[in-house]
Amino acid sequence: MAAFDMVVVGSGGGPDESNLSAYLLKPREAAWNDGIIALEAGSGLGALRHIMKRDPNIFREHPTDANPTSFTPLTVYANVKCFLLTHAHLDHISSLVMTAGSLGGARKRIYGSAQTLSDLETIFSGRIWPKLATYDQNNPLFQLVYHALHADDKYEVIFPNISVRLMTVSHGMNGSGQYDGACFFIRHDPTNREFIFFGDVEPDSISVEPKNIAVWRAAAPKIPHVISTIFIECSYQAGRPDGQLWGHLSPVHLVQELVTLATEVVIARKERKSCSGSRPRKKQRMSPEALHGALEGVKVYIMHCKEQFATERPINHIIGDQCRELLAPHQLGVELLTADQGMKIVI
């Protein structure tokens, strides 16, 4: 049963500023006019304007509807009730910053980790950009209100019928040490259906502090009956050296991560059958045959592919083909897709 509707405003990872991480989300049973979650905010009004010119019906609720009423980029973003951000790098927040002083509609919350919101404060400081957001939800002078999410294993309601669990992932190193980003488990409360949405993330195999394994272990018991869709980055093409990934994935590492997820799914199913319950354990290896079909029924959308301006084909399609070629011998059963700008996805 489908639980969510999503429109991909942008799915790239730069440097093409017209196609940056930005997704509009709503519960499947609700209308777009009822309210929208902006999941990331790299691209925004300008990108959506071009999308709506190409597909004026993208926000049509039913195939039998007449023309899609008065939807414009401005009215769509006026209907945004909250922003959900994985981290505060510019390719994930630039449209939020640029439009913060002109967004219509009701007040909007900005959800993210405490560190993400702290980083945003340095932008909305009155120097880089006017101070346009506050933590004080009772202050009527601000249209944007910060609200921190915590990696505490709990789900927090951020929107009618939608709750979110934040888990921390590693996005490489900076001058201060490890840079943490976020991964969200986004739940449709009436059905308990969920999907996983990663921000920028590096592979556990080269991380100083591997954190993806915790995400996979949390997801494994829910695959595929509760969680059947995962959005995860794959920024670079195959062959890029590990030392030049800068906190991102490439096809070989994405495949390694999916093999790890498949391994955890098999383990979780064995534990469920034996009623042994969850317990601390070391990472386990399995024969390739044991993983065959482990991710049957799961769709993985790759995103955040970095444009090279050197190919006629979209870079995410090239990277997608590379991932599928590397995945094929593992026979995991997963369906690997690309999140394309302008796509409407039913989850």
Side-chain angles (χ1 to χ4, degrees):
M1 177 186 296
F4 300 95
D5 287 323
M6 174 186 282
V7 169
V8 182
V9 179
S11 62
D16 180 359
E17 71 279 2
S18 68
N19 183 19
L20 301 174
S21 299
Y23 304 81
L24 300 177
L25 182 71
K26 72 172 181 68
R28 179 75 169 154
E29 74 276 8
W32 290 105
N33 275 330
D34 294 336
I36 298 169
I37 296 172
L39 179 54
E40 309 281 52
S43 291
L45 292 172
L48 186 58
R49 180 186 181 196
H50 289 292
I51 290 168
M52 294 178 73
K53 281 185 176 180
R54 294 195 304 269
D55 184 3
N57 297 319
I58 194 163
F59 292 104
R60 179 181 292 198
E61 302 292 351
H62 304 288
T64 56
D65 285 350
N67 291 333
T69 65
S70 58
F71 281 113
T72 69
L74 283 172
T75 60
V76 169
Y77 272 92
N79 279 326
V80 167
K81 304 303 181 187
C82 64
F83 292 86
L84 181 60
L85 307 176
T86 61
H87 63 298
H89 280 168
L90 290 178
D91 56 322
H92 295 255
I93 65 165
S94 57
S95 72
L96 168 60
V97 174
M98 291 296 294
T99 61
S102 56
L103 288 170
R107 301 178 81 201
K108 307 173 194 308
R109 287 198 173 191
I110 303 175
Y111 290 99
S113 69
Q115 184 61 61
T116 295
L117 301 187
S118 177
D119 291 343
L120 265 181
E121 283 187 278
T122 67
I123 296 174
F124 290 131
S125 63
R127 294 187 61 82
I128 299 174
W129 211 249
K131 187 175 181 180
L132 297 171
T134 181
Y135 286 95
D136 183 1
Q137 62 181 355
N138 297 316
N139 189 333
L141 299 179
F142 290 88
Q143 180 76 347
L144 299 172
V145 180
Y146 299 123
H147 187 99
L149 299 174
H150 304 283
D152 56 6
D153 299 336
K154 297 178 181 178
Y155 287 79
E156 181 165 343
V157 176
I158 66 164
F159 188 90
N161 290 337
I162 295 181
S163 299
V164 170
R165 176 186 177 184
L166 180 150
M167 294 190 73
T168 302
V169 295
S170 175
H171 183 18
M173 304 290 288
N174 61 21
S176 302
Q178 183 165 287
Y179 183 96
D180 285 339
C183 167
F184 297 124
F185 285 61
I186 301 176
R187 185 177 70 191
H188 181 252
D189 293 330
T191 63
N192 283 322
R193 295 281 297 172
E194 303 179 39
F195 71 94
I196 298 175
F197 187 94
F198 279 86
D200 295 357
V201 61
E202 70 177 349
D204 270 2
S205 60
I206 65 171
S207 180
V208 173
E209 188 179 348
K211 296 184 176 182
N212 298 337
I213 184 63
V215 175
W216 301 137
R217 286 179 176 170
K222 301 179 179 182
I223 299 286
H225 55 290
V226 173
I227 296 173
S228 60
T229 304
I230 299 169
F231 290 83
I232 190 167
E233 70 128 287
C234 191
S235 293
Y236 294 112
Q237 295 187 59
R240 190 172 180 92
D242 288 355
Q244 296 177 17
L245 289 176
W246 316 124
H248 295 289
L249 297 178
S250 64
V252 66
H253 290 296
L254 174 63
V255 171
Q256 288 174 354
E257 294 292 338
L258 292 178
V259 168
T260 299
L261 171 59
T263 302
E264 294 300 323
V265 168
V266 172
I267 293 169
R269 289 172 181 169
K270 288 181 177 179
E271 290 180 345
R272 188 160 57 241
K273 286 182 180 179
S274 65
C275 299
S276 60
S278 61
R279 60 186 183 278
R281 51 181 168 76
K282 295 180 180 180
K283 188 174 180 179
Q284 300 184 35
R285 291 185 178 274
M286 293 191 177
S287 68
E289 293 77 15
L291 303 182
H292 288 177
L295 300 184
E296 196 76 42
V298 176
K299 293 181 178 180
V300 172
Y301 287 89
I302 64 166
M303 56 187 185
H304 202 269
C305 300
K306 291 185 176 291
E307 182 57 66
Q308 301 299 311
F309 301 103
T311 60
E312 290 188 11
R313 289 184 69 209
I315 189 66
N316 62 333
H317 291 187
I318 293 171
I319 293 175
D321 285 347
Q322 293 173 347
C323 292
R324 281 185 280 268
E325 182 178 353
L326 291 170
L327 266 174
H330 296 281
Q331 301 182 49
L332 303 181
V334 65
E335 181 179 3
L336 192 135
L337 304 162
T338 56
D340 295 336
Q341 186 175 41
M343 180 183 286
K344 190 169 184 178
I345 301 173
V346 178
I347 303 171

